[in-house]
């Protein structure tokens, strides 16, 4: 094999390595920095000279209420995902299977809402929730999240339902099932992978939400994890605790990284079928 | 099959036709095939519409509460001023005074400089980041499309920037762009990236492009993978260079996927908030976006001006979306029937609607 052919053969792999490095390098830097000791946090070596977990211990220090913010994030993202999924399943089924007037209008409206600038709904909702006394409550974080979670779930699930052969329901209905029974007994089990994929994507996006969580809370123990990390302070106000910020960042990101690694195939299929096809 | 029969309306008429296409057994006079008729239960027509209404209404109700209602309230609020000292009476009022269009008028007057600065920042970030991430994303997609091994690794790694919460990635980049950070180490200069100025904008752009270019790459890759290989083989036989193949085959064929990706990214960039807020900070003139401006006003209980800024941003996003939809035609809202015949008919109908 001559030299040029060799280059031709290996060039794609070099390219892939560059892409992977581009995507992972900053994340790698976060992990490495989180393992440095406070005393050598400004080291720029690719590996920590004295790896230590002291930043992680600092994060879980009770004064940071980081544990509470992680719980808040789990509750908010979890409830948002579950509610959006249940409502979206019904709607997506109707979109994929039933014929009714204004269907295209309804679908367009639902998609259009996902393109809304969140701030333009947060401002009035903040005022409304202040009147309700809802500031610093879970519902004040969950309800506005529906504005992006629900359209996303509907859009994704509609695509999934459309891909499923309609004949299955028909034969179930021939066998005496009502449409509702066919939906419960045939569609839901078969659509489980699609529901699961949608759930992961909605969860990740709900977990990443920042603007709503920042605006609707002013008490430290009601913040979600991303907000809490962004407001981390060190021992003194003048010191920016980069080490513990990196450690907290790793902890906030870790659940998502695990989801991505385990379910990468599904997430990709969900993202590509939902938004570009 | 349950379906609504509603002769007269053009939309329903074509929907009916499509259902015949799908079943493949329609008789020429437009009646459903006998096999299907047997399945239909009496009263199914109204049942389908009722069922659809039942299934769709919870979602529409929630979206009305969390999107439609706040939008209307935002329009209303934007016409009100800030509660406080009433300049006419000198009394402190608890309610917000009606000020008409003055919040909007302020955009062209007193409060204007901060607004226009935020407006240009928003536009500047949108144009630069979307352009850069489109170029980088397409390049990434072309590279990934060439490689066969290690797909799982590539897939997982390009998803990671997308999965990292923006606020966390902003903290990460603040660390990288720290004065003693690794960015300055690499370029061998001391730049105070996260202070006011053009370098702060560059920092925001770099961090944003890092996070979102892989996402465009992912969507374009999906578009690339459905292009049949034969097209390229034919082009090679005809002696087309790699460059020509890219411009004349790849790009036109991935254009729908790419345009949708660019639309989503553009609308997302227009409402940018987390990244500049965490990376550089609130109230920094060089990176303040419209979302940040509106949020800042709202958190200072100046709901009227905040709502006015939010409304302007909303209209801005809406106009850009509208422009894109006209450009994209119908690719955005896909119809339910995948058969080419149906799709073509729908496309032509939409075209005429747009021109009409």
């Amino acid at each position: 094999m001559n030299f040029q052919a060799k280059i031709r053969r290996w060039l794609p792999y070099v390219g892939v390595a560059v892409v992977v490095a581009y995507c992972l390098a900053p994340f790698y830097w976060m992990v490495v920095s989180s393992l440095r000791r406070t005393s050598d946090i400004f080291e720029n070596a690719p590996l920590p000279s004295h790896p230590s977990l002291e930043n992680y211990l600092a994060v879980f220090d009770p004064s940071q209420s980081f544990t509470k913010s992680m719980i808040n994030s789990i509750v908010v993202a979890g409830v948002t995902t579950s509610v959006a999924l249940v409502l979206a399943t019904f709607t997506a089924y109707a979109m994929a299977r039933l014929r009714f007037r204004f269907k295209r209008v309804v679908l367009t409206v639902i998609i259009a809402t996902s393109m809304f600038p969140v701030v333009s709904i947060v401002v009035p909702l903040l005022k409304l929730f202040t009147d309700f006394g809802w500031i610093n409550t879970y519902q004040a974080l969950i309800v506005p999240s529906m504005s992006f979670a629900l359209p996303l779930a509907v859009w994704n699930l509609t695509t999934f339902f459309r891909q499923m052969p309609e004949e299955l329901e028909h034969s179930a209905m021939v066998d005496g099932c009502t449409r509702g029974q066919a939906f419960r007994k045939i569609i839901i089990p078969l659509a489980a992978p699609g529901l699961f994929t949608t759930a992961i994507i909605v969860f990740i996006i709900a977990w990443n939400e920042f603007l709503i969580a920042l605006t609707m809370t002013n008490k430290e123990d009601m913040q979600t994890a991303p907000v809490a990390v962004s407001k981390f302070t060190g021992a003194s106000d003048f010191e920016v605790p980069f080490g513990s910020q990196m450690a907290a960042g790793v902890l906030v990101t870790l659940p998502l990284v695990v989801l991505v690694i385990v379910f990468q195939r599904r997430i990709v299929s969900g993202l590509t079928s939902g938004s570009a096809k | 099959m349950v379906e609504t029969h509603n002769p007269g309306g053009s939309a329903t008429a074509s929907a009916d036709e499509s259902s015949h296409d799908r079943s493949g057994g329609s008789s020429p006079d437009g009646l459903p095939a006998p096999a299907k008729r047997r399945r239909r239960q009496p009263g199914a027509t109204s049942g389908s519409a009722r069922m659809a209404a039942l299934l769709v209404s919870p979602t529409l109700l929630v979206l009305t509460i969390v999107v439609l209602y706040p939008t209307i309230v935002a329009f209303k609020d934007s016409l009100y001023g800030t509660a406080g000292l009433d300049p006419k009476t000198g009394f402190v009022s608890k309610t917000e005074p009606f000020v008409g269009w003055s919040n909007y008028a302020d955009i062209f007057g007193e409060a204007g400089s901060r607004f226009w600065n935020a407006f240009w920042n928003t536009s500047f970030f949108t144009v630069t980041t979307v352009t850069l991430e489109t170029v980088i994303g397409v390049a990434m997609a072309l590279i990934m499309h060439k490689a066969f091994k290690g797909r799982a690794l590539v897939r997982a790694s390009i998803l990671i920037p997308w999965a990292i919460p923006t606020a966390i990635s902003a903290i990460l980049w603040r660390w990288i762009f720290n004065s003693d950070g690794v960015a300055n180490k690499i370029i061998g200069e001391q730049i105070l990236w996260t202070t006011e100025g053009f370098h702060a904008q560059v920092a925001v752009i770099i961090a944003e492009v890092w996070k979102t270019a892989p996402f465009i790459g992912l969507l374009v890759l999906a578009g690339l993978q459905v292009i049949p290989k034969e097209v390229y083989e034919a082009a090679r036989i005809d002696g087309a260079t790699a460059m020509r193949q890219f411009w004349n085959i790849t790009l036109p064929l991935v254009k729908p996927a790419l345009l949708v990706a660019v639309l989503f990214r553009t609308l997302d960039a227009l409402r940018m908030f987390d990244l500049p807020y965490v990376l550089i900070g609130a109230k920094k003139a060089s990176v303040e976006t419209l979302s940040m401006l509106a949020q800042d006003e709202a958190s200072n209980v100046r709901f009227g001006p905040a709502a006015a800024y939010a409304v302007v941003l909303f209209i801005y996003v809406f106009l850009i979306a509208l422009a894109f939809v006209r450009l994209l035609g119908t690719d955005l809202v896909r119809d339910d029937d995948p058969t080419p015949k149906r799709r073509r008919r729908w496309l032509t109908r939409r075209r005429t609607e747009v021109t009409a």
Side-chain angles (χ1 to χ4, degrees):
Chain A
M1 198 189 286
N2 64 29
F3 183 66
Q4 217 172 8
K6 247 182 200 167
I7 289 185
R8 268 191 114 82
R9 202 175 141 208
W10 287 105
L11 209 58
Y13 296 102
V14 176
V16 166
V18 172
V19 171
V20 171
Y22 172 92
C23 295
L24 294 186
F27 181 63
Y28 171 79
W29 196 246
M30 178 155 76
V31 176
V32 168
S33 304
S34 73
L35 294 170
R36 289 188 214 280
R37 295 182 306 186
T38 318
S39 48
D40 41 43
I41 185 75
F42 289 113
E43 261 182 16
N44 281 313
L47 279 173
S49 53
H50 301 279
S52 103
L53 290 174
E54 72 174 64
N55 290 323
Y56 288 88
L57 296 176
V59 166
F60 285 113
D61 189 274
S63 70
Q64 296 282 14
S65 65
F66 178 74
T67 324
K68 182 75 192 338
S69 71
M70 283 293 268
I71 295 169
N72 292 340
S73 267
I74 292 169
V75 171
V76 171
V79 174
T80 301
T81 307
S82 329
V83 176
L85 212 60
V86 170
L87 297 180
T89 306
F90 294 136
T91 303
Y93 179 75
M95 291 298 165
R97 286 291 191 264
L98 302 177
R99 300 184 194 291
F100 55 94
R101 284 219 274 172
F102 308 119
K103 187 159 112 180
R104 195 168 298 131
V105 178
V106 170
L107 196 58
T108 311
V109 166
I110 291 176
I111 296 166
T113 49
S114 70
M115 300 174 183
F116 250 67
V118 178
V119 75
S120 66
I121 65 159
V122 159
V123 172
L125 286 181
L126 171 65
K127 211 177 144 194
L128 183 73
F129 291 168
T130 314
D131 294 343
F132 283 5
W134 270 19
I135 301 304
N136 293 317
T137 59
Y138 283 134
Q139 61 267 32
L141 301 178
I142 291 164
V143 171
S145 304
M146 284 298 145
S147 66
F148 58 84
L150 199 49
L152 183 75
V154 170
W155 185 228
N156 245 321
L157 287 174
T158 306
T159 324
F160 275 113
F161 284 146
R162 275 177 190 164
Q163 285 164 352
M164 282 165 36
E166 211 166 354
E167 287 72 29
L168 289 168
E169 292 155 81
H170 291 165
S171 49
M173 284 194 279
V174 169
D175 290 346
C177 278
T178 62
R179 199 170 252 280
Q181 282 171 331
F183 176 65
R184 265 201 315 277
K185 293 182 181 161
I186 311 289
I187 300 299
I188 292 289
L190 280 173
L195 289 169
F196 187 66
T197 303
T198 309
I200 294 172
I201 294 172
V202 173
F203 184 85
I204 290 179
I205 292 182
W207 184 269
N208 292 359
E209 207 292 319
F210 183 80
L211 175 54
I212 296 168
L214 177 78
T215 312
M216 296 297 176
T217 57
N218 51 30
K219 266 206 271 174
E220 214 168 70
D221 61 350
M222 277 309 293
Q223 289 166 351
T224 60
V227 176
V229 178
S230 77
K231 290 188 171 172
F232 255 26
T233 48
S236 77
D237 278 351
F238 303 102
E239 176 199 357
V240 184
F242 280 114
S244 51
Q245 277 190 342
M246 290 303 116
V250 171
L251 292 171
V252 175
T253 313
L254 213 57
L256 310 190
V257 171
V258 171
L259 282 179
V260 161
I261 289 170
V262 177
F263 301 111
Q264 29 97 7
R265 192 187 295 265
R266 278 158 178 251
I267 296 173
V268 169
S269 78
L271 285 176
T272 49
S273 70
S275 44
K277 218 176 142 211
Chain B
M1 179 187 265
V2 188
E3 57 190 19
T4 323
H5 266 276
N6 196 338
S10 68
T12 33
S14 82
D16 282 356
E17 274 166 42
S18 87
S19 69
H20 297 162
D21 289 352
R22 205 188 261 187
S23 70
S26 70
S27 46
D29 59 3
L31 286 169
K36 267 171 57 186
R37 190 179 285 166
R38 231 183 302 135
R39 274 183 224 150
R40 185 179 299 165
Q41 289 145 19
T45 302
S46 59
S48 174
R50 234 198 332 262
M51 187 161 174
L54 203 70
L55 291 175
V56 175
S57 51
T59 295
L60 290 182
L61 183 73
V62 171
L63 289 179
T64 306
I65 296 169
V66 299
V67 178
L68 186 65
Y69 166 78
T71 309
I72 294 168
V73 172
F75 274 106
K76 194 208 102 201
D77 279 355
S78 69
L79 304 176
Y80 285 80
T82 312
L85 212 59
D86 189 329
K88 277 191 202 127
T89 58
F91 288 112
V92 177
S93 68
K94 282 241 173 68
T95 55
E96 286 148 358
F98 180 78
V99 295
W101 296 103
S102 82
N103 285 325
Y104 294 97
D106 282 349
I107 286 170
F108 298 96
E110 275 176 57
S113 62
R114 196 173 166 205
F115 167 81
W116 286 111
N117 175 53
F119 181 82
W120 290 121
N121 282 343
T122 306
S123 310
F124 173 69
F125 283 141
T126 304
V127 172
T128 48
T129 58
V130 173
T131 310
L132 281 171
E133 69 204 32
T134 305
V135 173
I136 296 173
V138 170
M140 285 172 121
L142 290 172
I143 290 169
M144 292 184 285
H145 191 49
K146 278 261 188 289
F148 322 100
K149 281 181 193 159
R151 261 211 190 130
L153 170 75
V154 175
R155 254 200 307 251
S157 51
I158 61 171
L159 282 173
I160 282 177
W162 169 77
I164 295 181
T166 313
I168 303 295
S169 79
I171 290 168
L172 164 60
W173 283 97
R174 197 167 71 194
W175 169 230
I176 291 173
F177 284 128
N178 185 46
S179 57
D180 301 315
V182 72
N184 280 342
K185 191 75 151 203
I186 289 170
I187 59 170
E189 262 181 85
Q190 283 288 312
I191 298 177
L192 296 171
W193 292 96
T194 53
T195 54
E196 284 273 17
F198 179 65
H199 41 261
Q201 295 179 328
V202 174
V204 169
I205 291 168
I206 291 173
E208 170 79 0
V209 169
W210 169 74
K211 188 171 161 56
T212 49
F215 185 72
I216 292 214
L218 187 73
L219 298 189
V220 174
L221 181 64
L224 284 178
Q225 279 169 346
V226 296
I227 302 177
K229 283 218 165 55
E230 293 79 37
V231 185
Y232 288 104
E233 274 159 27
R236 250 199 309 276
I237 290 166
D238 291 345
T241 60
M243 212 49 200
R244 262 195 91 90
Q245 286 179 28
F246 174 73
W247 284 109
N248 293 348
I249 301 171
T250 311
L251 216 50
L253 285 175
V254 296
K255 208 174 110 191
L258 183 62
L259 279 176
V260 172
V262 169
L263 166 67
F264 278 93
R265 285 303 326 145
T266 305
L267 299 182
D268 225 24
L270 285 171
R271 53 192 177 185
M272 190 192 288
F273 176 86
D274 324 14
L275 188 62
Y277 183 89
V278 179
L279 178 59
I280 312 294
K283 293 188 189 176
K284 295 284 177 74
S286 49
V287 296
E288 187 167 64
T289 63
L290 282 173
S291 282
M292 291 166 78
L293 176 58
Q295 199 273 346
D296 186 53
E297 291 287 276
S299 61
N300 286 307
V301 218
R302 288 190 291 271
F303 289 117
Y309 297 137
V311 167
V312 173
L313 175 62
F314 169 66
I315 292 169
Y316 191 27
V317 168
F318 179 76
L319 289 177
I320 301 272
L322 206 66
F324 258 101
V325 169
R326 293 198 79 159
L327 195 74
L328 283 165
T330 52
D331 284 330
L332 199 60
V333 186
R334 269 171 49 97
D335 207 56
D336 51 337
D337 204 318
T339 58
K341 188 182 167 196
R342 165 103 174 88
R343 190 157 160 68
R344 215 178 313 128
R345 189 182 304 142
W346 188 59
L347 268 167
T348 46
R349 203 179 65 241
R350 273 293 295 231
R351 290 257 161 75
T352 49
E353 269 170 23
V354 168
T355 44

